[in-house]
């Protein structure tokens, strides 16, 4: 195949067109090399989704804590919470902690 035959093929004409070359260079630049490339945008979107999930988690935690605070405004609930969570006791009172063994024995 000679150079003239190769040059006259339609695919070669399209590829060697100066506008196609410029456009392909521009696309490569925008996708990979630019500061605001598509790769950077993808990473930023992942980080945004992660932060949104954290925000949702912390909002539910805040809601639960508010409910707990409102519940602990009652003295009997406060006493119950202190006994269950911090093993506090009244004078002349003994506390027994029962722990269950969750390991399976052979």
């Amino acid at each position: 195949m000679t150079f003239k035959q190769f040059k006259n093929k339609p695919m070669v004409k399209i590829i060697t067109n100066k506008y196609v070359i410029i456009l392909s260079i521009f696309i490569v630049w925008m996708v990979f090399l630019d500061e605001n490339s598509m790769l950077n945008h993808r990473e930023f979107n992942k980080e945004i989704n992660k932060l949104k999930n954290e925000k949702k988690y912390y909002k539910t935690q805040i809601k639960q804590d508010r409910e707990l605070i409102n519940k602990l405004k009652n003295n009997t609930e406060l006493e119950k919470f202190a006994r269950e969570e911090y093993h506090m006791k009244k004078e002349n009172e003994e506390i027994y902690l029962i722990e269950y063994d969750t390991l399976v024995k052979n």
Side-chain angles (χ1 to χ4, degrees):
M1 188 187 293
T2 65
F3 181 68
K4 285 190 177 190
Q5 290 174 340
F6 183 70
K7 191 176 181 182
N8 289 335
K9 289 197 174 195
M11 191 68 181
V12 173
K13 282 185 175 184
I14 293 173
I15 292 175
T16 58
N17 186 333
K18 66 181 178 181
Y19 298 110
V20 172
I21 293 172
I22 291 172
L23 181 65
S24 61
I25 291 172
F26 176 75
I27 289 173
V28 167
W29 178 267
M30 292 306 291
V31 171
F32 298 107
L33 303 174
D34 191 42
E35 177 179 302
N36 299 317
S37 69
M38 295 298 288
L39 300 174
N40 286 345
H41 277 286
R42 193 178 73 188
E43 288 179 26
F44 291 147
N45 285 337
K46 285 181 184 178
E47 189 171 341
I48 286 171
N49 289 335
K50 179 183 163 196
L51 291 172
K52 282 182 181 179
N53 289 336
E54 283 183 20
K55 180 180 174 184
K56 193 183 300 183
Y57 168 76
Y58 286 123
K59 280 190 175 192
T60 57
Q61 287 299 111
I62 288 171
K63 184 179 177 184
Q64 290 174 358
D65 290 343
R66 280 194 183 130
E67 290 173 0
L68 180 63
I69 288 171
N70 287 335
K71 192 171 149 183
L72 292 179
K73 287 182 181 177
N74 184 354
N75 284 338
T76 57
E77 290 293 326
L78 181 62
E79 183 179 336
K80 179 181 173 187
F81 180 79
R83 286 172 177 263
E84 290 175 356
E85 295 295 319
Y86 298 108
H87 309 295
M88 293 184 167
K89 63 178 187 164
K90 293 181 182 179
E91 285 187 37
N92 300 326
E93 185 178 63
E94 296 204 18
I95 295 179
Y96 296 99
L97 298 177
I98 301 173
E99 295 181 9
Y100 295 100
D101 188 14
T102 57
L103 298 175
V104 178
K105 295 181 181 177
N106 294 337

